[in-house]
């Protein structure tokens, strides 16, 4: 009797152990994707969500035996909302990874939560250099404004024949980065900055600023505005006849965002920008990506935000594979660092020291190709690290 009881309880224990590992293995791997799906930055949310879903459709939703679950939340690009959503995702949903982050203040608001909970935080959109310093759990797959701005300043002086510039940026993290890194490099190269103008992020009215630029008559106006705001700048620049007054328009590629470019009209032709991605990038990997993205999204053209989301999913999937489905924060983070792969943007590398992206920056000019407006690449600076981390 005693023996039987011992045997029974031992086998029950064994059963319990088996069923608990089964439950563990069957538990989904959760990615909390926080994006601005409504409000001023809604195009960023739309693009990244579409890209993440495309990646999952192409690579399956089971990785290393774990079912991958994507939980999409709309933060309306309000940082307090981003923070609350991140907290809920970590505490209630027990997500394995936080991802998305449409604007810099949303990323900064969430970084302490990533640190406290040891949850990897994959930044797919926000692009202020210092975001990666805000938490050791941040990994970035978007880009940094210093990468694009320094490259633009070098082209402007070396090849653009531009000597006098006014800068116009959105007055927050990425804009301040763009202004500083463009200005310092341009001045170092012998150029003159006539004025530095900053416009509010929320509901900007570019008119009074553009009037100032027209009066200052620089060779060029250098612009950073976040994805989605470029069309308004372009429209008002052209309405004021600033192109006809001989002022060139240059900027980071956020200005000639592929999401809007086709609707900007022929006035955009000739605008030169520096950026890490354009839908026209002529590689086989990108052609396949653009085709599949359009097919899955009623013809929508992917922009650089979409690529940040797509590559972010790649980094997460490969980390889950490398950690053999374990999904623990530190294991995932270690497997995210140092990933090297070919992205639709070209070669890409997650620097293990900085957790930031290293990639090519392309010089592009807006041209009409096959009836559509595109950022057509004409030069490349290879393997650009974030200049914000050089010191
Ligand atoms: C940012 O807030 O970091 C940001 C947003 C949109 C961009 C670039 C940077 O296009």
């Amino acid at each position: 009797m005693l023996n039987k009881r011992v045997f029974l309880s031992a086998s029950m224990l064994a059963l319990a152990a088996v069923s608990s590992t089964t439950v563990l293995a069957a538990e989904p791997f959760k990615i909390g994707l926080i994006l601005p799906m409504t409000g001023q930055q809604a195009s960023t949310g739309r693009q990244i969500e579409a890209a993440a879903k495309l990646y999952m459709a192409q690579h399956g939703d089971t990785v290393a035996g774990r079912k991958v679950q994507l939980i999409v939340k709309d933060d309306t690009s309000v940082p307090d909302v981003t923070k609350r959503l991140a907290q809920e995702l970590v505490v209630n949903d027990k997500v394995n990874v936080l991802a998305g982050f449409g604007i810099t203040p949303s990323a900064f608001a969430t970084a302490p939560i990533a640190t406290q909970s040891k949850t990897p935080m994959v930044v797919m959109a926000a692009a202020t250099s210092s975001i990666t310093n805000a938490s050791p759990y941040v990994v970035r797959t978007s880009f940094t404004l210093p990468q694009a701005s320094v490259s633009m300043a070098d082209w402007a002086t070396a090849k653009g024949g531009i000597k006098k510039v006014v800068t116009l940026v959105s007055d927050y993290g990425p804009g301040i980065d763009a202004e500083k890194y463009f200005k310092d490099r341009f001045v170092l190269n012998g150029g003159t900055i006539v004025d530095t103008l900053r416009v509010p992020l929320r509901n900007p009215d570019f008119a009074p600023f553009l009037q100032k630029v027209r009066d200052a008559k620089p060779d060029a106006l250098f612009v950073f505005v976040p994805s989605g705001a470029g069309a308004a700048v372009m429209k008002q620049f052209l309405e004021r006849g600033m192109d006809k007054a001989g002022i060139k328009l240059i900027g980071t590629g956020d200005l000639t965002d592929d999401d809007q470019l086709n609707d900007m009209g022929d006035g955009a032709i000739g605008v030169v920008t520096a950026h890490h991605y354009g839908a026209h990038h002529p590689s086989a990997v990108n052609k396949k990506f653009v085709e599949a993205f359009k097919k899955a999204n009623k013809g929508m053209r992917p922009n650089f935000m979409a690529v940040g989301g797509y590559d972010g999913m790649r980094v997460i999937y490969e980390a889950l594979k490398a950690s053999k489905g374990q999904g623990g924060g530190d294991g995932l983070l270690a497997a995210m660092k140092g990933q090297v792969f070919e992205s639709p943007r070209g070669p890409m590398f997650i620097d293990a020291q900085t957790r930031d992206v290293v990639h090519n920056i392309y010089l592009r000019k807006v041209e009409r190709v096959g009836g559509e407006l595109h950022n057509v690449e004409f030069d490349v600076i290879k393997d650009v690290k974030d200049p914000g981390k050089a010191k």
Side-chain angles (χ1 to χ4, degrees):
M1 189 63 195
L2 188 72
N3 272 351
K4 197 174 175 195
R5 203 178 290 154
V6 169
F7 171 75
L8 253 182
S9 51
S11 61
M12 274 162 76
L13 267 179
L15 246 180
V18 168
S19 60
S20 81
T21 47
T22 323
V23 168
L24 212 65
E27 235 168 58
F29 179 85
K30 295 181 186 170
I31 303 170
L33 185 62
I34 312 178
L35 294 169
M37 300 306 300
T38 52
Q40 196 172 296
Q41 306 305 128
S43 67
T44 294
R46 173 164 44 82
Q47 288 270 351
I48 294 181
E49 183 185 24
K53 290 192 166 156
L54 175 65
Y55 191 90
M56 291 182 73
Q58 289 176 331
H59 297 84
D61 63 358
T62 304
V63 178
R66 300 279 296 271
K67 189 99 176 155
V68 178
Q69 189 184 339
L70 192 66
I71 307 174
V72 182
K73 298 281 181 190
D74 177 12
D75 69 2
T76 67
S77 85
V78 174
D80 283 346
V81 178
T82 321
K83 186 178 172 182
R84 177 174 54 75
L85 291 172
Q87 238 149 9
E88 288 170 6
L89 284 164
V90 166
V91 175
N92 301 343
D93 297 287
K94 308 209 166 15
V95 295
N96 300 87
V97 175
L98 289 164
F101 310 105
I103 57 167
T104 288
S106 292
F108 274 120
T110 307
I113 296 170
T115 307
Q116 283 153 23
S117 63
K118 299 184 187 295
T119 308
M121 171 175 162
V122 179
V123 175
M124 297 169 161
T128 299
S129 172
S130 57
I131 290 172
T132 43
N133 301 335
S135 166
Y137 287 86
V138 168
V139 170
R140 175 155 39 203
T141 59
S142 51
F143 76 111
T144 79
L145 264 306
Q147 288 174 327
S149 306
V150 166
S151 305
M152 191 66 229
D154 282 346
W155 177 83
T157 33
K159 301 190 184 139
I162 294 166
K163 295 190 172 63
K164 282 194 327 186
V165 166
V166 173
T167 61
L168 174 73
V169 302
S170 288
D171 192 5
Y172 77 120
I176 310 299
D177 267 4
E179 179 192 284
K180 175 179 170 25
Y181 282 86
F182 180 86
K183 180 180 166 190
D184 288 356
R185 187 63 156 244
F186 191 65
V187 169
L188 187 75
N189 291 347
T192 304
I193 297 291
V194 184
D195 207 350
T196 53
L197 307 173
R198 297 178 182 180
V199 295
L201 170 64
R202 308 281 174 194
N203 308 309
D205 176 11
F206 299 108
F209 296 97
L210 290 174
Q211 194 52 48
K212 270 189 143 180
V213 178
R214 204 173 195 287
D215 297 343
K217 294 195 186 66
D219 298 329
L221 170 65
F222 169 84
V223 173
F224 163 78
V225 286
S227 180
V233 175
M234 188 73 75
K235 184 163 176 279
Q236 296 193 23
F237 183 86
L238 296 171
E239 273 172 10
R240 284 193 159 57
M242 293 173 70
D243 53 334
K244 303 216 167 56
I247 301 170
K248 290 187 181 119
L249 186 58
I250 59 174
T252 61
D254 314 73
L255 175 65
T256 55
D257 183 346
D258 276 302
D259 192 71
Q260 298 187 317
L261 181 59
N262 230 350
D263 300 323
M264 289 187 194
D266 283 353
I269 290 175
V271 171
V272 174
T273 56
H275 221 43
H276 60 291
Y277 179 73
H280 192 261
H281 179 62
S283 71
V285 168
N286 185 49
K287 280 186 183 146
K288 259 182 70 183
F289 168 69
V290 173
E291 207 171 286
F293 188 93
K294 284 186 167 174
K295 201 167 161 215
N297 296 287
K298 300 195 180 84
M300 175 163 77
R301 184 195 281 187
N303 69 359
F304 61 97
M305 293 301 186
V307 166
Y310 192 76
D311 292 337
M313 289 298 285
R314 193 270 181 204
V315 166
I316 296 167
Y317 263 51
E318 291 304 315
L320 181 55
K321 273 187 211 165
S323 70
K324 302 206 168 22
Q326 288 302 309
D330 287 315
L332 287 171
L333 184 72
M336 288 178 180
K337 293 179 186 176
Q339 284 195 27
V340 185
F341 57 100
E342 189 181 352
S343 148
R345 73 185 81 183
M348 162 154 173
F349 169 49
I350 302 293
D351 186 324
Q353 252 74 53
T354 62
R355 294 162 277 103
D356 219 336
V357 57
V358 179
H359 51 193
N360 294 343
I361 296 292
Y362 306 92
L363 273 307
R364 313 97 46 89
K365 187 182 264 175
V366 177
E367 289 177 22
R368 201 166 265 289
V369 186
E372 292 193 9
L373 291 176
H374 272 290
N375 291 297
V376 178
E377 293 166 15
F378 62 88
D379 208 350
V380 57
I381 303 147
K382 293 211 165 133
D383 303 326
V384 180
K385 280 190 168 201
D386 175 28
K389 306 212 166 49
K391 289 161 235 107

